Amino acid sequence: MLPSALMIMEPPWDWNLSFGNANGKQGWLTEYWYWPQLVDQQYSWFRRLFEDPDFGQRYVDRWGQLSQTVFSVSNLHARIDAWAAHLAEAQQRNFERWPILGKRIWPNYYVGQTYADEVRWMKQWIAQRLAWISRQFVAAPAIASVQSGAPGRTVTLHPRAGAVYFTLDGTDPRLPGGGVSPKAQLYKEPIRLPPEAKLFARARYENRWSPPAR
């Protein structure tokens, strides 16, 4: 019996040309995706996966999760600051041996005059890039306030785009394939939650769904 087939995302190629550090293939821009510049032979199975609306939704949901945690601006900037501090002494010796600061070296786009310039520019680029990526997806409704009372709590949602649908039993208001679950309710006013309720909300805009808010 043959084992089940697996597809594994390996480390991306040309990582040294990321974070705006390239003057080709729109690599210096904080906007636009890279994949439209690729032919089918370079972007074959991934393009096919996005024909499945449920795969696409899991992609959106994963970005919604990571953009609030490991891919948040504050987290990435903190890591950059830590690495820059760790390399503070070594970078001085590096640029004494290879005096390339302030010189255009292919394929770099930005040319900083100092090491601090380079770090500052990369942090600015990352913040703008993350903001652009998040704008490509429908924004999840924000949980604006939670007020406790007897019995249960009252939750106010803040729709950022489109209509907000929610359930109170923890099930997804989005059906597989993209429809609205028959269990879902349209948000119109603050929600009174019974003690056992499990709120699951999404925004829906032009048949696209946001990441969840729970």
Side-chain angles (χ1 to χ4, degrees), residues 45-115:
W45 59 269
F46 220 98
R47 197 188 306 272
R48 176 69 179 87
L49 283 172
F50 276 104
E51 295 178 10
D52 179 354
D54 295 325
F55 174 84
Q57 188 61 49
R58 293 187 68 180
Y59 177 87
V60 170
D61 291 356
R62 185 62 169 158
W63 176 255
Q65 178 188 46
L66 294 178
S67 64
Q68 301 301 313
T69 54
V70 294
F71 284 171
S72 68
V73 173
S74 59
N75 186 65
L76 291 181
H77 279 189
R79 295 189 70 179
I80 292 170
D81 289 339
W83 288 334
H86 181 70
L87 296 172
E89 186 276 330
Q91 62 88 14
Q92 296 179 27
R93 291 184 286 109
N94 176 82
F95 293 121
E96 288 175 1
R97 176 64 179 84
W98 291 282
I100 60 173
L101 282 173
K103 298 181 181 180
R104 187 168 298 281
I105 307 296
W106 182 87
N108 297 166
Y109 172 76
Y110 176 75
V111 180
Q113 299 302 308
T114 65
Y115 178 68

Side-chain angles (χ1 to χ4, degrees), residues 186-205:
L186 179 64
Y187 178 79
K188 297 180 180 179
E189 59 187 6
I191 307 166
R192 188 69 176 175
L193 300 182
E196 69 280 3
K198 297 180 180 179
L199 177 66
F200 191 137
R202 291 186 189 271
R204 189 172 190 249
Y205 179 72

Side-chain angles (χ1 to χ4, degrees), residues 84-162:
H86 181 70
L87 296 172
E89 186 276 330
Q91 62 88 14
Q92 296 179 27
R93 291 184 286 109
N94 176 82
F95 293 121
E96 288 175 1
R97 176 64 179 84
W98 291 282
I100 60 173
L101 282 173
K103 298 181 181 180
R104 187 168 298 281
I105 307 296
W106 182 87
N108 297 166
Y109 172 76
Y110 176 75
V111 180
Q113 299 302 308
T114 65
Y115 178 68
D117 284 346
E118 295 282 354
V119 172
R120 184 166 46 249
W121 186 85
M122 183 171 66
K123 289 173 66 175
Q124 180 184 40
W125 190 94
I126 288 173
Q128 294 175 354
R129 177 63 176 171
L130 294 177
W132 181 84
I133 292 175
S134 292
R135 290 197 301 271
Q136 306 316 297
F137 309 124
V138 177
I143 299 178
S145 66
V146 180
Q147 297 179 348
S148 297
R153 296 165 295 167
T154 299
V155 175
T156 300
L157 300 178
H158 176 62
R160 295 168 175 168

